């Protein structure tokens, strides 16, 4: 009898505090999450992997020079692994490649893994990314791995006739991850000189976060299973995989397809399954990890990875936006939330536009790149029309804002209600930042931010493969709140928690400091540009 009672006692579920979500959904406290997003956080946490991070581990960089200096510092301190994911590496980045080579020589156990876009990284010419990486592959064949993702959307006769540069219109690998050991920097920036000097982006650095670093590393490993592998033709026979009918051999390198059972033009279902299983694996793994730390008294920032790969039917970003606005519009919070949104390529995805325009209780301030701050400004040929194409999209957006009765009303761009559009302009600079910041009101610092690779447009939703992160930061404790657990005291918030929110406020203020009145209404868009935009449709 005593043995039976003891067994039952061990099996009986432990009573959880009322402010903890039940473990079958997610063992995460939402007590000090701002009321405007508390229910949203609970709902999202049941669907996505969730990392809990001490706010002191998060650092927000604001300048391209900081990004580059941090990148080099990370490389120079690497002990076990370096894992970078980017669109490409610029042809002039000799210092960056030399730093990688030097560290690999200094640390015999160090491994380097790169994941890049194939079409962007194999453009013709001696300065292509593929060619500048060949010396690393020749010197460290067993310790350097370079995978190159190619969108399967470009296939058949089009794959043969669409020239380089234009073939990137059918989809690119767009995720930006810069990891070393257990440190990770998430950005929208690529590895090119302009992104290190005068091309504004966002950069969030996470130090000593093993689980997050492992997630990013494993994410890259997953994508490598349906990506080409770059190999030098001069490699020793033992390091060259057996011939594959889907691989390509060029003068000085091989693009090896890893799976002969899967065609590189038809792996959509393979990728969909891989991404879905990967997210489920980490969702369950982190749920278990969180349940072991349920009663931690120190509130932490929540970091939620979001994969958007429309061509593979992975649409986590879209579902997150719908969920966020559903809860914001239903919120009974006394103040009006303020959403700051920015994109260097502003052609807001139509479903997101509808969400913004149909949320009368949410104010929205948008910063887009001015034509001169667009990276394609001054380009030769059709690409030179791209800034004008975005002006067309901006005009259409503002027409929709006006029709919805949501035009900004107030004494200034920072004091008012509705939806406003401004443009980022800084002499000699281009603009590539993207993301959102959500504040409970116009007078309080953000409690949520979305950052990473997404441009929040149709291309990001349907064509490119994106990885972004949503970070949610607890608010100040409400000691008199009805949500306060009975018989408990509010934990003392460490200064880093509120400091992190203020850092986010300074980040968006820094971006808006270079924002000026939108002048698109006065700009002419040629009929030929309108025709080009119609022809390429969602590729911009």
């Amino acid at each position: 009898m005593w043995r039976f009672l003891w067994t039952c006692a061990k099996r009986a579920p432990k009573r959880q505090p009322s402010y903890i979500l039940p473990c079958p959904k997610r063992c995460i406290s939402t007590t000090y999450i701002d009321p405007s997003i508390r229910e949203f956080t609970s709902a999202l946490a049941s669907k996505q992997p969730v990392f809990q991070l001490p706010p002191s581990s998060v650092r927000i960089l604001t300048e391209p020079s900081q990004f580059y200096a941090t990148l080099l510092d990370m490389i120079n301190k690497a002990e076990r692994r370096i894992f970078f994911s980017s669109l490409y590496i610029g042809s002039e980045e000799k210092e960056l490649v030399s730093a990688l080579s030097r560290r690999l020589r200094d640390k015999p156990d160090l491994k380097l893994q790169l994941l890049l876009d194939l079409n962007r990284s194999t453009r013709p010419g001696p300065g292509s990314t593929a060619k500048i990486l060949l010396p690393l592959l020749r010197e460290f064949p067993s310790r350097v791995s370079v995978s190159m993702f190619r969108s399967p959307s470009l296939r058949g006769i089009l794959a043969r006739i669409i020239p380089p540069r234009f073939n990137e219109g059918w989809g690119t690998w767009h995720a930006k991850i810069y990891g070393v050991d257990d440190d990770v920097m998430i950005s929208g920036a690529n590895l090119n000189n302009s992104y290190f000097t005068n091309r504004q982006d966002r950069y969030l650095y996470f130090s000593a976060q093993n689980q997050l670093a492992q997630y990013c590393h494993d994410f890259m490993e997953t994508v490598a299973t349906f990506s080409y592998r770059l190999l030098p033709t001069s490699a020793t026979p033992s390091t060259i995989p057996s011939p594959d009918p889907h691989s390509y051999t060029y003068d000085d390198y091989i693009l090896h397809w890893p799976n002969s059972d899967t065609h590189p033009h038809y792996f959509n279902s393979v990728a969909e399954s891989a991404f879905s299983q990967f997210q489920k694996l980490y969702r369950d793994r982190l749920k278990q990890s969180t349940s072991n730390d349920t009663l931690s008294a120190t509130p932490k920032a929540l970091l939620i990875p979001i994969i958007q790969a429309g061509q593979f039917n992975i649409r986590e970003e879209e579902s997150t936006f719908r969920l966020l606005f559903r809860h914001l519009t239903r919120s009974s919070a006394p103040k009006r939330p303020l959403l700051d949104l920015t994109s260097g390529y502003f052609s807001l995805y139509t479903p997101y536009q509808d969400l913004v325009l149909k949320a009368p209780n949410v104010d929205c301030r948008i910063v887009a790149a001015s034509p001169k701050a667009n990276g394609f400004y001054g380009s030769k040929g059709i690409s030179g029309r791209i800034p004008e194409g975005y002006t067309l999209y901006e005009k259409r957006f503002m027409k929709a804002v006006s029709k919805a009765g949501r035009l900004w009303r107030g004494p200034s761009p920072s004091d008012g209600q509705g939806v406003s559009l401004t443009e980022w302009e800084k002499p000699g600079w281009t603009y590539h930042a993207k993301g959102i910041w959500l504040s409970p009101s116009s007078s309080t610092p953000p409690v949520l931010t979305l950052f990473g690779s997404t441009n929040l447009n149709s291309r990001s939703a349907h064509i490119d493969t994106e990885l972004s992160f949503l970070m949610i930061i607890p608010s100040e404790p409400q000691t008199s709140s009805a949500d306060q657990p009975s018989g408990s005291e509010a934990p003392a918030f460490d200064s880093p928690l509120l400091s992190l929110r203020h850092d986010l406020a300074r980040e968006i203020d820094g971006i808006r400091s270079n924002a000026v009145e939108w002048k698109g209404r006065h700009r002419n868009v040629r009929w030929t540009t309108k025709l080009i935009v119609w022809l390429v449709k969602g590729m911009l």
Side-chain angles (χ1 to χ4, degrees), residues 36-341:
S36 64
I37 58 169
R38 187 175 296 156
E39 291 184 5
F40 161 74
T41 302
S42 298
L44 188 62
S46 68
K47 302 174 181 291
Q48 299 290 127
V50 182
F51 297 92
Q52 297 193 67
L53 312 177
S56 57
S57 70
V58 185
R59 184 158 57 101
I60 300 174
L61 311 181
T62 58
E63 297 289 336
S65 58
Q66 291 178 314
F67 169 56
Y68 188 49
T70 302
L71 203 61
L72 292 177
D73 185 61
M74 292 171 70
I75 294 170
N76 293 332
K77 292 179 179 179
E79 296 288 338
R80 297 179 288 110
R81 61 184 181 182
I82 300 173
F83 48 102
F84 288 174
S85 168
S86 189
L87 182 67
Y88 69 106
I89 299 176
S91 59
E92 300 177 359
E93 301 319 310
K94 294 181 175 60
E95 182 181 23
L96 180 69
V97 176
S98 294
L100 292 169
S101 179
R102 185 169 56 252
R103 195 59 180 175
L104 284 164
R105 292 192 196 98
D106 292 344
K107 296 292 178 179
D109 295 328
L110 179 65
K111 292 188 176 182
L112 168 64
Q113 181 175 355
L114 300 174
L115 177 58
L116 307 163
D117 181 73
L118 186 146
N119 286 331
R120 183 62 181 84
S121 298
T122 58
R123 287 182 178 179
S128 74
T129 300
K131 292 189 176 182
I132 67 175
L133 291 176
L134 289 178
L136 284 176
L137 288 164
R138 294 189 183 108
E139 185 174 357
F140 311 100
S142 63
R143 295 164 54 202
V144 176
S145 173
V146 180
S147 298
M148 293 192 169
F149 173 90
R150 179 194 179 280
S151 169
S153 297
L154 183 61
R155 60 172 74 101
I157 187 65
L158 285 178
R160 297 177 180 273
I161 64 174
I162 299 297
R165 289 193 70 185
F166 292 96
N167 57 12
E168 297 160 33
W170 275 259
T172 64
W173 176 252
H174 208 234
K176 315 301 184 347
I177 300 167
Y178 304 111
V180 166
D181 297 334
D182 292 335
D183 293 0
V184 179
M185 182 160 49
I186 303 297
S187 179
N190 294 302
L191 299 176
N192 185 43
N193 181 62
S194 62
Y195 292 93
F196 304 151
T197 53
N198 61 350
R199 187 157 172 76
Q200 184 65 53
D201 214 302
R202 299 182 67 193
Y203 333 87
L204 279 82
Y205 184 87
F206 301 88
S207 59
Q209 296 303 308
N210 174 264
Q211 287 184 321
L212 174 61
Q214 194 62 44
Y215 172 93
C216 293
H217 180 272
D218 291 348
F219 176 74
M220 291 172 55
E221 287 277 347
T222 298
V223 178
T225 62
F226 44 86
S227 297
Y228 286 89
R229 183 180 173 192
L230 177 68
L231 298 168
T233 53
S234 59
T236 58
S238 61
T239 62
I240 299 179
S242 57
D244 181 273
H246 306 312
S247 298
Y248 299 92
T249 300
Y250 297 88
D251 290 340
D252 42 10
Y253 63 83
I254 300 169
L255 291 172
H256 176 76
W257 181 249
N259 187 353
S260 59
D261 296 330
T262 304
H263 196 284
H265 294 177
Y266 300 98
F267 63 87
N268 299 61
S269 60
V270 172
E272 178 182 0
S273 177
F275 283 134
S276 298
Q277 292 179 16
F278 176 76
Q279 288 292 74
K280 183 180 185 301
L281 172 68
Y282 263 91
R283 185 173 68 241
D284 295 343
R285 182 182 296 176
L286 291 170
K287 179 175 68 175
Q288 181 61 39
S289 173
T290 303
S291 66
N292 296 332
D293 192 34
T294 296
L295 298 179
S296 174
T298 305
K300 296 180 179 180
L302 306 182
L303 191 66
I304 303 173
I306 297 171
I307 301 173
Q308 180 74 13
Q311 63 179 327
F312 305 131
N313 199 33
I314 301 295
R315 299 183 177 277
E316 295 179 356
E317 180 185 299
E318 292 180 58
S319 61
T320 298
F321 264 79
R322 286 195 301 268
L323 189 65
L324 174 61
F325 275 88
R326 185 186 310 149
H327 286 283
L328 286 177
T329 53
R330 293 176 181 175
S331 173
S332 58
K335 295 184 178 180
R336 298 173 61 87
L338 174 63
L339 183 77
D340 281 293
L341 184 152

Side-chain angles (χ1 to χ4, degrees), residues 344-366:
Y345 299 112
F346 181 73
S347 55
L348 193 61
Y349 184 38
T350 301
Y352 300 167
Q353 174 180 303
D354 292 341
L355 290 171
V356 169
L357 299 185
K358 294 177 181 178
N361 63 319
V362 180
D363 300 317
C364 184
R365 302 184 302 184
I366 299 170

